[in-house]
């Protein structure tokens, strides 16, 4: 239930253009809470695979953005395109490549 509310908040505050500092903080929280539900709070993996920066090293941001936008058919990885703007998804892809919890 909490997740659904968070989705609604994020979806309605999504706007075109650059990701602001505040939006970045919201997305950071989304990665921790919502992606973390499957990939682990520290992205080490759980139901979904390890998606820490060191594991994704060498992957390309556009390819990751596409996975995040469209999901992976026939797996638990959901498409985020209906919930997040492209700028948000691109920001998350870069964030996964750059930031690690540890
Ligand atoms: C309901 C569970 C679930 C949620 C929530 C989820 N994922 Fe996933 N994700 C998966 C699973 C399962 C896979 C692996 C699918 C497969 O290929 O078997 C995956 C795969 C991925 C991959 C591909 C990893 C690789 O090495 O190719 C990326 C990137 C990814 N997820 C990012 C995210 C991000 C970012 C979020 C949050 C916006 C997220 N996921 C939310 C379950 C989830």
């Amino acid at each position: 239930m909490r997740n659904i509310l968070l989705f609604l908040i994020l979806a309605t505050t999504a706007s075109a253009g650059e990701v602001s500092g505040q939006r970045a903080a919201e997305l950071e929280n989304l990665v921790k809470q919502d992606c973390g539900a499957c990939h682990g709070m520290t992205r080490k993996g759980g139901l979904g695979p390890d998606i820490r920066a060191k594991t994704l090293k060498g992957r390309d941001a556009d390819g990751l953005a596409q996975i995040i936008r469209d999901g992976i058919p026939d797996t638990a990885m959901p498409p985020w395109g209906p919930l997040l703007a492209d700028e948000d998804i691109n920001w998350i892809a870069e964030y996964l490549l750059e930031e690690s919890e540890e």
Side-chain angles (χ1 to χ4, degrees), residues 5-15 23 82-85 88:
L5 285 174
L6 184 59
F7 286 162
L8 289 175
I9 292 164
L10 289 170
T12 51
T13 54
S15 64
R23 185 66 180 156
L83 299 165
L84 298 171
D88 292 339

Side-chain angles (χ1 to χ4, degrees), residues 2-3 7 29-43 45-49 51 76 78 80:
R2 222 204 110 255
N3 283 350
F7 286 162
N29 194 44
L30 172 118
V31 169
K32 189 175 281 179
Q33 303 294 333
D34 295 77
C35 312
C38 288
H39 293 278
M41 288 277 274
T42 57
R43 277 175 264 142
L47 171 64
I51 51 169
W80 294 83

Side-chain angles (χ1 to χ4, degrees), residues 30-31 34-39 47-51 56 59 64 67-68 72 75-78 80 84 92 96:
L30 172 118
V31 169
D34 295 77
C35 312
C38 288
H39 293 278
L47 171 64
D50 181 336
I51 51 169
L56 295 175
R59 298 282 292 272
L64 294 177
I67 293 173
I68 298 166
I72 303 179
T75 75
M77 175 61 188
W80 294 83
L84 298 171
I92 291 172
L96 292 181

